[in-house]
Amino acid sequence: MKTRRKVTILILITQEILMIFYLFYFTLVFIEKFKKNLTTLFAYINFAVGTIILVFMKKFSNSFLAILLVMCSCSSDDVRPDGGDPANGTETGAATPLATTRQIHLDAGETDALDSFTDISFDMLGKSQRLTDVNGENNGNVSLSPVSAMICYSLLAQSVDEPYRTELVKALGFNDVEQLSGLSLKYMALLPADGLGVKASLANSIWLTDRYTADARFADTMREMMHVDVRSVDFSDGKAAASLINKWCSEHTGGLIKDFIDYVDRSTLGIWINALYFYGAWDEKFDRALTTREQFDGRDGDVRVPMMHARMDADYAAAGGFRYVAVPFDQNNYVLDLIIADDTEAELTADTYRALKYGASAADVELGLPRFGVKTELMLSDIYDGLATAMENATLVTVGFPKSVTSQMIKIKHNTSFSVDEDGAEAAAVTGAFLCTSTGNESEPEHVRVTFDRPFYFAITHTETRAVVMLGRINNL
């Protein structure tokens, strides 16, 4: 009897040890499966901890083990980075899918460089605004994507030879190509998201003329480092080449930018493209029942528009004749920055924007925001001629082209789409660089009321890296 009792006790102890081992093993599996979805991960960790407590309380049952095994076998395919579908055409190197990485920090040099590039971006916004006014386009509204432009410039800088590479990087406010490409890589690792409420993706491609053979080592390096699709294309059929590129752009912008280019000139040496897509659901959605038609005092006249209303906890600041509100998206990884001036003719600078954004504090905000959308087509090379100057006579030996082949013309095209409604905001951007040649202490939050019923600025920013994903100004609705 004593021997049988000892055996029974030994079996029970062994079962307890095995159960604890299984629980820790399954917890590791859960972490691997759900590490991109923190809400789900924390739920399962709590579940596992509670189960361990039950084990030690002698209330563990075989039925629970069965449930645990079933849950471990469940698929988590709905949580994945967005790699997109490959475009048609000859692929010299297929892109490595982007992985979503967390806990990436910027050093002091990168922060300074980002601030410098933000200065350039606001300068471009102002110049784009004036050009739009002159041409009478887009109802006086404009938007651009500094992140998309920067990554496109990084692709180009890594493709051209010295001294043109350094001249391009300096024109953009960076110390060297390593700093530019390093910051671009961090953005490509951190900005993509495919979780609950927020979807963001970045994609890169390089389209090279098939008149010359691209170096396989260049294609491999760009694929591994920058996740680029490198393609060899026959530019002699300009319409067919444009169709391939437009298809790729549409696939990587959620169909928002379908017609990026009409035609590719046969003298084109290569086209370096970045595509960006963003959709964010509000952390606190606007109630559609509260949307009413109200007056918007546009720069060119007054008009009745659908004005959305919500009361929310949000960061708020007022300084220098401007008022700022940060509307958070779901999970708070991204925010929509809204800035309105007391004087509608006042122009927002990068310094004022940073002072507002990083000097803001929590407030109880009654927000009135019009439902709006804006599409912009810009030629950044016309707006910022320093880029074209830096690339004059550039060579592409790095790519594998003969040294005798030089660029005589560069154009940088930038298309954006941005819209806001009661559910959230959606944005897309495509930036393409074309190289051509003629020869080839806490207190109660402040309560404020802010209604954007006259011209205002907007920006989508990533909270951790300070990246400005989208930047624009609304003058008329």
Side-chain angles (χ1 to χ4, degrees):
M1 291 294 291
K2 290 184 179 180
T3 301
R4 181 178 301 177
R5 184 176 180 181
K6 289 181 180 179
V7 170
T8 302
I9 293 173
L10 181 61
I11 292 174
L12 289 173
I13 292 174
T14 302
Q15 287 178 338
E16 297 286 348
I17 294 173
L18 285 174
M19 292 306 165
I20 294 172
F21 171 81
Y22 288 143
L23 284 169
F24 279 111
Y25 171 78
F26 293 143
T27 300
L28 291 175
V29 173
F30 288 146
I31 292 174
E32 180 64 27
K33 281 179 171 290
F34 301 105
K35 61 184 176 182
K36 295 184 180 64
N37 189 329
L38 294 180
T39 301
T40 306
L41 174 59
F42 291 149
Y44 278 106
I45 289 176
N46 289 334
F47 182 70
V49 171
T51 303
I52 293 173
I53 294 172
L54 288 176
V55 169
F56 285 104
M57 292 177 65
K58 307 294 184 181
K59 292 183 180 180
F60 192 91
S61 67
N62 291 333
S63 60
F64 171 78
L65 179 59
I67 294 173
L68 191 63
L69 289 170
V70 170
M71 292 172 65
C72 272
S73 66
C74 291
S75 172
S76 60
D77 292 340
D78 58 316
V79 182
R80 69 197 193 290
D82 183 26
D85 296 326
N88 295 327
T90 304
E91 295 189 21
T92 307
T96 304
L98 287 177
T100 303
T101 307
R102 300 301 175 195
Q103 298 180 350
I104 294 181
H105 304 288
L106 305 183
D107 60 35
E110 289 171 329
T111 300
D112 290 342
L114 177 59
D115 286 344
S116 178
F117 187 71
T118 301
D119 292 341
I120 293 174
S121 299
F122 270 87
D123 182 55
M124 285 186 178
L125 179 65
K127 291 178 178 177
S128 301
Q129 177 69 76
R130 290 187 282 275
L131 185 64
T132 298
D133 291 343
V134 170
N135 296 335
E137 299 171 340
N138 301 327
N139 202 24
N141 303 320
V142 64
S143 67
L144 56 87
S145 173
V147 164
S148 177
M150 187 185 73
I151 294 176
C152 178
Y153 299 150
S154 177
L155 300 179
L156 181 60
Q158 293 177 77
S159 302
V160 300
D161 305 324
E162 293 289 5
Y164 312 101
R165 175 181 298 175
T166 296
E167 291 178 6
L168 173 61
V169 169
K170 295 294 185 182
L172 296 170
F174 293 88
N175 294 329
D176 47 46
V177 69
E178 288 78 17
Q179 188 179 62
L180 173 58
S181 61
L183 190 56
S184 297
L185 279 170
K186 287 186 176 184
Y187 282 172
M188 290 167 58
L190 187 58
L191 300 187
D194 195 6
L196 298 173
V198 174
K199 179 180 176 65
S201 63
L202 291 162
N204 300 318
S205 62
I206 300 177
W207 310 72
L208 300 172
T209 177
D210 64 357
R211 286 182 290 159
Y212 309 102
T213 302
D215 190 330
R217 290 172 299 178
F218 167 78
D220 290 343
T221 298
M222 296 303 288
R223 181 185 68 246
E224 294 299 327
M225 285 186 58
M226 300 296 293
H227 311 280
V228 183
D229 287 337
V230 182
R231 305 178 184 276
S232 180
V233 185
D234 180 7
F235 289 144
S236 64
D237 188 343
K239 285 286 187 182
S243 179
L244 281 176
I245 292 171
N246 287 336
K247 182 174 183 292
W248 185 92
C249 292
S250 179
E251 288 173 348
H252 292 89
T253 59
L256 293 180
I257 300 178
K258 300 177 181 179
D259 302 312
F260 182 57
I261 51 175
D262 299 324
Y263 185 82
V264 180
D265 191 277
R266 64 173 58 246
S267 68
T268 300
L269 293 173
I271 307 172
W272 288 256
I273 299 180
N274 170 266
L276 174 152
Y277 175 79
F278 174 88
Y279 176 78
W282 304 123
D283 187 46
E284 298 179 43
K285 291 187 178 182
F286 291 83
D287 187 345
R288 290 182 180 271
L290 300 179
T291 300
T292 57
R293 298 198 68 82
E294 299 178 24
Q295 181 170 299
F296 182 86
D297 300 326
R299 196 176 58 184
D300 297 339
D302 301 341
V303 64
R304 305 287 290 181
V305 300
M307 187 71 71
M308 308 181 299
H309 292 274
R311 184 168 179 171
M312 63 181 68
D313 296 327
D315 285 349
Y316 169 81
F322 291 88
R323 292 206 289 170
Y324 163 92
V325 177
V327 185
F329 292 103
D330 194 16
Q331 297 186 356
N332 296 298
N333 287 334
Y334 287 88
V335 296
L336 175 65
D337 295 331
L338 297 166
I339 305 97
I340 191 168
D342 298 334
D343 179 2
T344 57
E345 297 300 320
E347 191 165 305
L348 181 67
T349 66
D351 285 339
T352 301
Y353 169 68
R354 283 190 289 262
L356 289 165
K357 182 172 180 63
Y358 302 112
S361 57
D364 174 20
V365 180
E366 285 187 58
L367 179 64
L369 179 66
R371 189 192 304 154
F372 71 92
V374 56
K375 289 181 178 288
T376 305
E377 295 186 16
L378 299 171
M379 198 64 72
L380 297 183
S381 46
D382 294 341
I383 297 168
Y384 194 62
D385 55 8
L387 300 176
T389 302
M391 289 294 96
E392 189 173 348
N393 297 317
T395 57
L396 294 165
V397 176
T398 300
V399 173
F401 290 3
K403 191 171 184 178
S404 59
V405 177
T406 61
S407 65
Q408 303 297 322
M409 180 181 67
I410 182 174
K411 59 180 181 179
I412 301 175
K413 196 171 189 298
H414 187 70
N415 288 18
T416 62
S417 175
F418 185 82
S419 62
V420 165
D421 64 14
E422 287 85 352
D423 297 324
E426 188 173 34
V430 174
T431 309
F434 299 71
L435 276 186
C436 303
T437 177
S438 58
T439 61
N441 282 320
E442 300 184 356
S443 58
E444 184 177 346
E446 177 186 6
H447 176 74
V448 297
R449 178 176 294 171
V450 186
T451 300
F452 289 77
D453 56 358
R454 56 185 184 274
F456 61 91
Y457 293 86
F458 66 86
I460 291 179
T461 58
H462 187 260
T463 55
E464 191 171 346
T465 65
R466 300 165 57 177
V468 183
V469 176
M470 192 67 64
L471 177 66
R473 183 174 183 176
I474 298 300
N475 289 301
N476 301 290
L477 291 174

